[in-house]
Amino acid sequence: MSSSARDEPMTSLRSHLATIADLKAAAAVLRWDQETLMPPGGAEGRALQLATLARLAHEHLVSDATRRLLDAAESAVRGGAAASDAAALVRMTRRDLDRASKLPAEFVAEKSRVAAVATHVWRDARRADDFAAFRPHLERIFRLARQEADYVGYGGHPYDALVDRYDPGVTARELEMLFGRLLEVVVPLVRAIASRAGVVDPGVLDAEFDETAQRTFALEAVREFGYDTRRGRLDLSAHPFSTKFHRDDVRITTRFGRRLSAVFGTFHESGHAMYSQGTAAALERSPLSDGAGSGIHESQSRLWENLVGRGRPFWEYAFPRLRRTFPEQLKAADAERVYRAVNYVTPGLIRVNADEVTYNLHIVLRFELEKALLTGDLAVGDLPAAWNDKMRAYLGVTPPSDADGVLQDIHWSSGLVGSFPSYTLGNVASVQLFEAARRAHPSVPDDLRAGRFGTLYGWLRDNVYIHGRKFLPSELLRRATGGSLTAEPYLEYLETKFRELYGLR
């Protein structure tokens, strides 16, 4: 077979799949607008628009044309290199087609419509601290999630069918084992830190930090990390997020608050955005242009937010600029005081504001509630009380309102049932990836201290970003680090960092 004859099936498949990528990008633009600029009255119309785009993308994927083109492409790549772009495209398209074929187009459209309306209602309900207004929408969300699990099928728990959408290959049982191991180490560590209250003083960050100045500082920092603002922008939203329309248009949002919260939210979202911008150009407008999985994507946001942004080397570099930006607020501070303050550990109400030590306790809580809601063991009407019970059990705090409790996250309103474990998977993988980069380049800590972020960024680009979705998460991690996902390096990182900070033996 001639080279052109072998290439033709792949060219035809890619052209066919590009339409789906464009429809999804158009939907992403509408969702970005919904969260940043859309007037409140546009919610119902936007829901219908998003439902139409979701249905069209689904119908195009499950069409007879896709099956014919994919069959031909599979024959063309058979016997070739498994790691080639062509083989990966065939592999991932087959995976997507197998899952999507189990979901009726009407169901896909309805799920999108319900989520778009629910997101709008959630935003108002949170502001008004009105769970009752959101309750019927959340009931629809979980009813559809149960339907999706039944359509897709599962071998163990219905949660398996949902988490696989975000982190392919992961099961509820594996997550239970991972969370169990984390709890073994984290709960005693939280108690030990509580016994040393006062050793770390967060007071240096208790001043009012001007929002515009926070934005300027954060944006300058993420540009230095590697976020290309010629191909992206920073806006405001109720819940920070990153969205990709194309590798050359990747946008992030943040929200402001005290204690430099916008800075760390921007660091977090820039990690997602750099991954999206760094995907190989050849993978654009195809199923390979996304990340390997939500957990791998989260590993990048958490790596840049925590391992870099909350690291001592970064603040030794960045503090002089921060003090120039906020001379009155920080006139009595130094780099070490700021480093210690941004790593202050205290159980709190809000996940996105949680410190590194307590963060995963928020995820365990959500994972357990999701599973119970999915199986019907917990009714949506009983969710606020169950949420508060688990907050007391895991974190020792009780939300004073549903706005600071069960209504705080956008995920369920957006229909993202099964996505919360990605944050913990990302935390665990972030340390493995950072350590692999440091093994390859022992100068990384000194480079960060000097404001040279290119060494770390370059390793991540070459070992993670450029591959997009060519590999499943487990394979990408194995290629990048030489091993499989394990909690031990992450737990060692937490113990080493925070025992030193709090003077614990």
Side-chain angles (χ1 to χ4, degrees), residues 233-266:
R233 55 180 289 133
L234 173 64
D235 293 279
L236 299 180
S237 65
H239 193 103
F241 67 96
S242 168
T243 187
K244 176 183 181 180
F245 309 148
H246 184 276
R247 70 189 295 273
D248 293 328
D249 190 352
V250 183
R251 306 183 188 189
I252 61 177
T253 70
T254 194
R255 67 182 178 196
F256 292 104
R258 298 184 65 206
R259 301 179 60 81
L260 299 178
S261 61
V263 169
F264 292 100
T266 306

Side-chain angles (χ1 to χ4, degrees), residues 413-490:
S413 72
S414 300
L416 303 178
V417 179
S419 67
F420 277 117
S422 299
Y423 291 105
T424 291
L425 293 171
N427 282 333
V428 171
S430 70
V431 173
Q432 286 181 259
L433 289 165
F434 187 84
E435 290 302 318
R438 195 160 65 172
R439 287 195 299 271
H441 301 286
S443 67
V444 162
D446 289 336
D447 287 341
L448 297 179
R449 191 171 289 109
R452 296 189 296 266
F453 303 100
T455 305
L456 177 60
Y457 172 86
W459 186 91
L460 292 168
R461 180 196 59 217
D462 294 344
N463 290 276
V464 180
Y465 304 167
I466 198 170
H467 297 304
R469 193 178 165 232
K470 282 179 63 176
F471 308 110
L472 291 175
S474 57
E475 174 65 8
L476 180 73
L477 197 62
R478 185 190 65 77
R479 286 172 169 269
T481 70
S484 57
L485 186 77
T486 172
E488 301 315 309
Y490 175 64

Side-chain angles (χ1 to χ4, degrees), residues 179-223:
F179 286 133
R181 177 61 183 139
L182 292 174
L183 290 173
E184 286 178 3
V185 175
V186 170
V187 171
L189 181 59
V190 172
R191 290 175 183 155
I193 289 172
S195 72
R196 300 281 293 167
V199 170
V200 173
D201 178 14
V204 68
L205 300 182
D206 281 344
E208 293 295 326
F209 293 89
D210 177 74
E211 293 183 2
T212 301
Q214 279 194 61
R215 184 186 190 279
T216 299
F217 175 84
L219 197 54
E220 287 179 358
V222 299
R223 282 174 177 150

Side-chain angles (χ1 to χ4, degrees), residues 276-309:
S276 296
Q277 289 181 335
T279 302
L283 305 182
E284 275 304 306
R285 299 180 74 221
S286 85
L288 304 183
S289 65
D290 296 325
S294 296
I296 296 296
H297 236 300
E298 286 302 327
S299 77
Q300 296 312 292
S301 59
R302 301 296 283 173
L303 186 154
W304 287 100
E305 177 190 1
N306 292 330
L307 296 173
V308 175

Side-chain angles (χ1 to χ4, degrees), residues 324-372:
R324 287 195 299 271
T325 305
F326 302 107
E328 286 303 310
Q329 295 91 331
L330 300 174
K331 59 185 176 184
D334 58 22
E336 182 65 14
R337 284 190 65 191
V338 169
Y339 163 68
R340 297 175 72 83
V342 301
N343 286 290
Y344 178 66
V345 175
T346 185
L349 299 170
I350 307 301
R351 174 186 63 84
V352 296
N353 295 337
D355 57 81
E356 288 186 87
V357 180
T358 62
Y359 185 92
N360 293 301
L361 301 178
H362 291 267
I363 304 304
V364 175
L365 176 154
R366 287 154 174 80
F367 168 66
E368 292 177 349
L369 292 175
E370 279 190 327
K371 284 199 306 171

